Amino acid sequence: RLAREIAATTTMQSLCASFNMMQVAPATSAPKAASAKSAKASSFVGQGVTVQGWKVGGVKRGELQVRAARVAGVEIPNNKKAEIALTYVYGVGNATAKKIMAKTGLENKRVREFEEEELTILRAEVDTYMIEGDLRRFNMLNIKRLKEIQCYRGRRHIRGLPVRGQRTKTNARTRKGKVKTVAGKKK
């Protein structure tokens, strides 16, 4: 047991020594094998640090690591196809995503494979829809209006009950919250 502990500590010491001898280049220096696509950093988020001689997951550290493209102020996932990735934007569902892809004429490929021009076209088309903050504000103002005019739907919103005619004797727990037991309520 003692021999194993000594071997483990010497191995750790040698690893630490080799790590300390590595040279770390600043993130601003461009790696030699940078591709043309990696130079387009404006539409993607994330950049690493070059550590010479070390590769992590087949990618040399420091090369531009594409993580997520920004569309309508939302980082959409990079490894998903465009139609699915667009649904991460509030107000864009499957049907709207398909319409956007059809209007732009772009191929439904993975987001990381898009060029800067294609992303610009996609952003321009997405911006024509009411999405994200504008849509949230629109919905909130509609509910506020219903509450102010004291219509049936507005009163249901105020009381925290279902608005669209669902039964409330049983169920409706999502709107009503956790059960509040009342003593002496048996038949």
Side-chain angles (χ1 to χ4, degrees), residues 39-185:
K40 298 172 182 170
S42 61
S43 63
F44 295 104
V45 178
Q47 184 173 354
V49 178
T50 303
V51 179
Q52 296 172 352
W54 283 79
K55 283 191 175 185
V56 178
V59 177
K60 197 169 197 172
R61 294 181 84 183
E63 290 182 18
L64 187 63
Q65 297 172 359
V66 177
R67 291 187 190 152
R70 281 188 88 74
V71 175
V74 178
E75 289 183 7
I76 60 174
N78 232 11
N79 55 345
K80 296 190 186 296
K81 294 211 172 187
E83 261 180 34
I84 302 302
L86 282 174
T87 61
Y88 280 65
V89 177
Y90 181 80
V92 178
N94 289 330
T96 311
K98 284 180 182 174
K99 280 184 200 171
I100 290 169
M101 294 304 290
K103 266 190 171 178
T104 56
L106 297 174
E107 184 184 340
N108 186 21
K109 55 187 177 184
R110 302 206 182 273
V111 174
R112 66 171 172 255
E113 297 168 1
F114 277 124
E115 299 293 328
E116 181 65 36
E117 301 81 38
E118 293 172 323
L119 281 172
T120 307
I121 293 167
L122 192 65
R123 284 189 198 105
E125 183 58 34
V126 168
D127 287 339
T128 61
Y129 290 87
M130 186 185 286
I131 50 170
E132 283 299 320
D134 294 337
L135 183 59
R136 285 190 174 100
R137 194 175 307 107
F138 178 77
N139 290 338
M140 191 177 65
L141 289 173
N142 279 340
I143 292 170
K144 186 178 177 184
R145 178 182 53 82
L146 292 172
K147 289 178 180 180
E148 286 173 358
I149 63 174
Q150 290 286 306
C151 66
Y152 178 79
R153 286 173 55 204
R155 284 183 280 138
R156 301 298 279 183
H157 274 292
I158 291 167
R159 292 180 187 158
L161 294 170
V163 176
R164 298 181 180 178
Q166 297 95 322
R167 69 181 300 137
T168 56
K169 182 175 181 179
T170 60
N171 302 332
R173 295 297 6 147
T174 303
R175 288 290 297 183
K176 291 170 79 173
K178 197 174 179 186
V179 179
K180 301 167 205 93
T181 309
V182 178
K185 212 38 172 156

Side-chain angles (χ1 to χ4, degrees), residues 27-44:
T28 55
S29 66
K32 293 176 185 173
S35 65
K37 286 183 182 178
S38 67
K40 298 172 182 170
S42 61
S43 63
F44 295 104

